[in-house]
């Protein structure tokens, strides 16, 4: 799984270059910085979420069985603390690619 071993930059390059455009980890990160970082620890290896109870993204990424599909379906349901929080579909793909890139 070279995606996991490769750095974020390489990961983003690989996804951009591949035929199937799933999402863009860098865009996902930028969106997360703006919209998620108030509650979630979003950086690789950061396990201290600002909001108690919001799982750090590095933890989410490593939950067994947390597949792309599981993440995508999570974003199709209302966010627990934020019922009106809608993430556009394109951005969901970016976020999922970013979160998956945090896998150990
Ligand atoms: C207002 C604070 C807040 C913001 C902002 C927020 N979240 Fe959350 N998020 C939470 C809390 C609290 C939970 C845990 C809820 C639970 O487990 O019942 C959660 C859960 C999650 C989960 C589920 C993890 C799991 O194990 O099921 C994901 C994925 C997630 N958030 C992603 C995001 C993303 C991506 C953003 C930004 C687009 C975001 N969150 C913004 C508070 C927030």
């Amino acid at each position: 799984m070279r995606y996991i071993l490769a750095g974020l930059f390489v990961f983003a390059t690989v996804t951009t270059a591949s035929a199937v455009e799933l999402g863009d980890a860098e865009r996902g990160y930028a969106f997360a910085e703006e919209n998620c970082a108030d509650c979630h620890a979003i950086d690789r290896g950061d396990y201290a979420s600002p909001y108690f109870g919001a799982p750090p993204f590095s933890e989410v990424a490593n939950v067994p069985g947390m597949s792309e599909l599981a993440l995508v379906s999570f974003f199709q349901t209302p966010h627990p603390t934020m019922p009106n929080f809608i993430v556009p579909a394109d951005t969901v793909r970016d976020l999922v690619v970013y979160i998956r890139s945090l896998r150990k």
Side-chain angles (χ1 to χ4, degrees):
M1 297 298 277
R2 71 198 162 105
Y3 278 18
I4 290 159
L5 297 174
L8 184 56
F9 176 74
V10 178
F11 179 85
T13 313
V14 169
T15 27
T16 312
S18 69
V20 183
E21 181 97 21
L22 274 172
D24 184 301
E26 269 180 53
R27 277 201 311 255
Y29 181 79
F31 184 86
E33 236 180 348
E34 293 259 304
N35 298 282
C36 324
D38 281 352
C39 298
H40 293 270
I42 65 167
D43 286 294
R44 166 177 292 277
D46 183 357
Y47 291 96
S49 284
Y51 184 101
F52 182 80
F57 285 3
S58 288
E59 195 178 295
V60 174
N62 290 293
V63 170
M66 185 60 81
S67 60
E68 276 91 354
L69 191 62
L71 279 172
V72 169
S73 23
F74 170 80
F75 288 113
Q76 284 163 352
T77 57
H79 212 89
T81 48
M82 318 158 65
N84 299 314
F85 190 62
I86 311 274
V87 183
D90 282 358
T91 305
V92 167
R93 282 194 290 276
D94 296 341
L95 283 169
V96 168
V97 169
Y98 173 63
I99 293 176
R100 292 281 293 178
S101 78
L102 299 175
R103 277 205 145 183
K104 284 190 200 117

